[in-house]
Amino acid sequence: MSDAHDVGGAKDGGAIDRSGHELSDWEVLADGLSQALDAKGIWNTDAHRRVREQMTEEQYDELSYYERWIYAVENALLELDVLTKPEIDDKVRDLERTWGNAAT
Amino acid sequence: MAQTRTQVVDAHMPTDHELPYYARRIYAIRDLLLDKGVLEAEDIKREIDYIERRSPANGARLVARAWTDEEFKQRLLHDPKTACAEMGIDASGMNEFVVLENTQRVRHVVVCTLCSCYPRAILGRPPDWYKSVNYRKRAVVEPRAVMREFGQEVGDEIEVRVVDSTADIRYLVLPQRPQGTDRMTEQELSRLVTRDSLIGVSDIDASSDASRSEEPF
Amino acid sequence: MGKRSDVTRSAFAPGRWVRVRGDGASGHVRTPSYVRGKNGRIVKCHGSFRNPEERAYFRDGLPRKRLYLVAFETKELWGKIVEVKNDCVFVDIYEHWLEEVE
């Protein structure tokens, strides 16, 4: 577990980028799926944050907001034995075959 | 009402231009969870619908009513969920929330330094800047410099209170009613109230226009 | 894993001075490092909630813990007046992180 998320008061804060971006479909899906797992009682907000905090500092710095959410969703589902990593890996490969060139 | 993006739940060919590693994972996870019956497509669509039907306009309506109805304002400050329900705003999804009243003497700024907690059940998804590490780092140290970046100057005689939402309480700022708005209707008043004024970083005046001043997302 | 002693005691009254525990935390905590070891003043008690440090590990988070809104002066947090003297930071902190100070 790193403290990468505990940033209040850090001395290296810079100018705030006020531009927004329209969410990609996968970000909308990440948000909705994450909330649906909570509504079903499969996980909760605190577990989401805790799992997210288990990433390394490098991952925290490199990943975007919803990439961090997906990291948390995947690792929580693995921890709960709802899914296994090999089956997610296999499904990604299946999907990439379906998507063909669209996914590159 | 505008269509919400529930089609992402059914999409077999993503329309995303780019699919980074984690984007691929979430599509795979979606398919596996649906195949196994852990979630139904409806469960995910319901959540997308829920969040996309919420926007800062809800907050603006609460503020405009509070400015024109003192008793409502007291209910908003002391029993905010009930006050929301009166206005047809469903805030039941939140554990608790607290409305922070700005006055001649106090200005509030809301942040979540540890992640990005935000009153989503009223305002919808937070803006990117609110979730950014630079905001989270600086808001608790130099709120006035941050407010200045958002165009708000605060005199030294006013106290700035930064509220860090570290737990289950969600915070909404009730900005002061601008001067020169005495003849405005409640609807006209609500159009002055920007998302950023509900977070506290921005000020509003009689010429503010919520629809013009902010990114729609 | 974030276990804290479950000492039941009476609530801190608004206006009371408290100190945030400075000792190292383990596991998931929601008390940011910038307030640890610092003194602040109780603004109010929000009520009692399931402990997020336990919920984070899929435990039920019972018994509920009192959650306080605590005010910290800018000079106390940062060692100097960064901008204006009377500015402060309000933080929601669970009771087991707080000790009374005289």
Side-chain angles (χ1 to χ4, degrees), chain A residues 8-98:
Chain A
K11 292 184 166 36
D12 59 351
I16 293 157
D17 178 0
R18 294 173 57 189
S19 66
H21 80 290
E22 183 164 3
L23 294 186
S24 303
D25 284 355
W26 63 266
E27 291 177 306
V28 172
L29 180 61
D31 191 307
L33 194 151
S34 180
Q35 296 299 119
L37 291 172
D38 191 314
K40 270 264 159 96
I42 292 167
W43 77 343
N44 61 69
T45 308
D46 302 305
H48 178 166
R49 292 176 187 142
R50 186 264 302 172
V51 175
R52 200 165 59 219
E53 287 158 20
Q54 285 169 188
M55 68 177 63
T56 63
E57 280 203 41
E58 290 70 31
Q59 284 171 308
Y60 195 86
D61 288 340
E62 281 169 20
L63 298 181
S64 68
Y65 184 79
Y66 281 108
E67 286 175 319
R68 298 200 292 262
W69 275 45
I70 297 166
Y71 169 100
V73 167
E74 175 167 349
N75 283 283
L77 292 173
L78 298 183
E79 184 179 311
L80 290 166
D81 285 326
V82 173
L83 298 179
T84 69
K85 191 168 183 304
E87 68 184 330
I88 303 175
D89 293 342
D90 286 348
K91 180 59 79 169
V92 170
R93 270 193 290 275
D94 287 347
L95 288 174
E96 285 172 340
R97 253 177 260 126
T98 313

Side-chain angles (χ1 to χ4, degrees), chain B residues 63-131:
Chain B
V63 168
R65 176 65 58 90
W67 285 342
T68 54
D69 181 341
E70 178 63 31
E71 284 176 12
F72 178 82
K73 183 174 110 172
Q74 293 307 319
R75 287 198 294 284
L76 185 62
L77 295 174
H78 297 107
D79 190 359
K81 280 194 178 180
T82 302
C84 282
E86 282 176 46
M87 302 278 298
I89 294 166
D90 172 18
S92 59
M94 287 195 292
N95 250 330
E96 294 296 336
F97 85 102
V98 169
V99 177
L100 303 164
E101 185 186 11
N102 280 359
T103 67
Q104 306 279 57
R105 292 189 345 246
V106 182
R107 295 277 164 88
H108 296 90
V109 175
V110 181
V111 66
C112 174
T113 60
L114 296 174
C115 49
S116 61
C117 303
Y118 185 77
R120 286 169 47 117
I122 303 178
L123 303 184
R125 296 189 190 103
D128 286 347
W129 63 259
Y130 181 86
K131 306 186 284 199

Side-chain angles (χ1 to χ4, degrees), chain B residues 143-145 160 162 164 166 171, chain C residues 30 34 83 87-88 90 92:
Chain B
R144 291 164 187 268
V160 170
V162 184
D164 191 356
T166 49
Y171 291 97
Chain C
R30 294 295 289 182
Y34 72 87
E83 292 181 319
D87 288 351
C88 50
F90 282 20
D92 285 327

